[in-house]
Amino acid sequence: MVIIMLGAPGTGKGTVGKMLSEKFGIPHVSSGEIFRSYSKKHGTVSKIIQNYIDNGQLVPDELAINLMKNRLNESDVKNGVILDGFPRTIFQAEKLHEIFKKQERKVNIAVNLSLPDEEIIDRIVKRRTCPNPECRAIYNLDFKPSKKEGICDLCGTKLIQRADDNIETVKQRLETYHQTSEKLIDYYKNQDILYTVKLNSKSDVTTMGIAEEIKRYLGI
Ligand code: ADP
Ligand code: ZN
């Protein structure tokens, strides 16, 4: 099964993606996490990637596609994957289709999380993230605080605020989303595999029964 998470930054793609990963027993693969960890390891290329991320701009298609192609050819995702943050352009979506075609599979459903921009900004600046690569839990100072302030409930690591989770970069990321990635909604709608979840400030994505809806949608 292949599930794609669509939606602006801060709508909860990561949180929902992790939850679906547990329910369906298939890995959650986040392009943002891959690029952030890659940018810590590799000299000059890493600086280039970091620059795009810090400015709220998309990493160039060619680089993004290459990194994701490698990831999608690893053995743990051969029975299914939840893709969070990729594709983000129509070109990436077309390339993804080719990658999957070679593997004799296709995208089954694109889950689109929708939330008004004002609420997105508020959510992102209050987001805190566990930097432990094995954990990566996501918290929110308002509606999902950690039990002990600044400490991850699950692994005890000190929480961080992502460098790109500041108001200026968030505004730029939202602009990038509306100019480019939002087009994917129509792209998958035209293929008849779009499932939209409308959120509001009080929506708690973890209790919304999204997994059950998806099962019903896919008839499984
Ligand atoms: P969010 O969805 O909250 O913006 P992500 O972790 O998905 O956060 O992405 C963080 C940054 O990583 C993006 O702003 C962008 O610079 C880069 N990025 C992630 N996925 C892609 C992609 N598919 N193509 C290009 N750049 C990407
Ligand atoms: Zn943790």
Side-chain angles (χ1 to χ4, degrees):
M1 178 169 26
V2 176
I3 300 178
I4 286 186
M5 303 301 307
L6 296 181
T11 48
K13 298 188 297 290
T15 306
V16 175
K18 282 199 187 84
M19 180 185 80
L20 295 176
S21 161
E22 274 165 34
K23 295 247 166 149
F24 293 123
I26 51 178
H28 165 242
V29 169
S30 151
S31 54
E33 279 173 15
I34 291 178
F35 302 160
R36 277 188 293 279
S37 70
Y38 187 88
S39 87
K40 287 207 187 88
K41 284 183 228 147
H42 301 72
T44 335
V45 186
S46 75
K47 291 221 174 60
I48 298 173
I49 294 188
Q50 198 57 50
N51 238 317
Y52 285 108
I53 295 179
D54 289 347
N55 288 309
Q57 258 133 16
L58 294 182
V59 172
D61 272 344
E62 200 184 343
L63 190 53
I65 290 162
N66 272 333
L67 289 176
M68 291 308 289
K69 192 174 174 180
N70 291 342
R71 180 66 187 91
L72 291 173
N73 278 314
E74 283 173 27
S75 59
D76 64 324
V77 295
K78 75 172 184 295
N79 291 326
V81 63
I82 292 156
L83 268 181
D84 161 9
F86 187 90
R88 253 178 162 92
T89 64
I90 300 285
F91 186 68
Q92 290 180 8
E94 285 165 349
K95 289 288 167 196
L96 181 66
H97 180 75
E98 284 173 23
I99 295 169
F100 282 150
K101 203 168 170 193
K102 280 203 188 106
Q103 300 174 341
E104 297 178 346
R105 57 178 171 169
K106 59 179 170 46
V107 177
N108 297 98
I109 185 168
V111 178
N112 172 37
L113 302 179
S114 122
L115 182 72
D117 280 8
E118 311 77 70
E119 296 185 13
I120 285 177
I121 294 176
D122 191 56
R123 273 195 191 203
I124 296 192
V125 292
K126 289 177 182 157
R127 175 159 72 184
R128 296 294 180 270
T129 310
C130 173
N132 171 3
E134 310 286 304
C135 176
R136 300 187 192 281
I138 302 164
Y139 299 88
N140 184 287
L141 295 181
D142 270 354
F143 62 85
K144 198 192 165 197
S146 56
K147 292 198 182 80
K148 200 167 156 208
E149 199 186 319
I151 303 292
C152 179
D153 292 349
L154 301 178
C155 74
T157 305
K158 197 162 172 253
L159 299 176
I160 57 154
Q161 179 171 29
R162 260 168 55 183
D164 60 346
D165 279 355
N166 62 75
I167 191 131
E168 291 77 26
T169 315
V170 171
K171 285 187 175 153
Q172 182 53 54
R173 280 155 65 200
L174 272 174
E175 200 175 316
T176 306
Y177 171 75
H178 290 304
Q179 275 172 7
T180 312
S181 312
E182 203 169 26
K183 297 190 175 69
L184 290 169
I185 295 178
D186 278 340
Y187 179 86
Y188 286 112
K189 198 186 205 164
N190 290 336
Q191 297 182 16
D192 241 357
I193 52 171
L194 185 77
Y195 166 59
T196 294
V197 183
K198 277 213 157 89
L199 305 168
N200 60 49
S201 55
K202 290 177 188 68
S203 314
D204 177 2
V205 286
T206 53
T207 59
M208 280 180 72
I210 297 175
E212 285 65 36
E213 290 287 332
I214 291 176
K215 277 193 193 160
R216 212 169 305 142
Y217 189 96
L218 294 174
I220 52 175

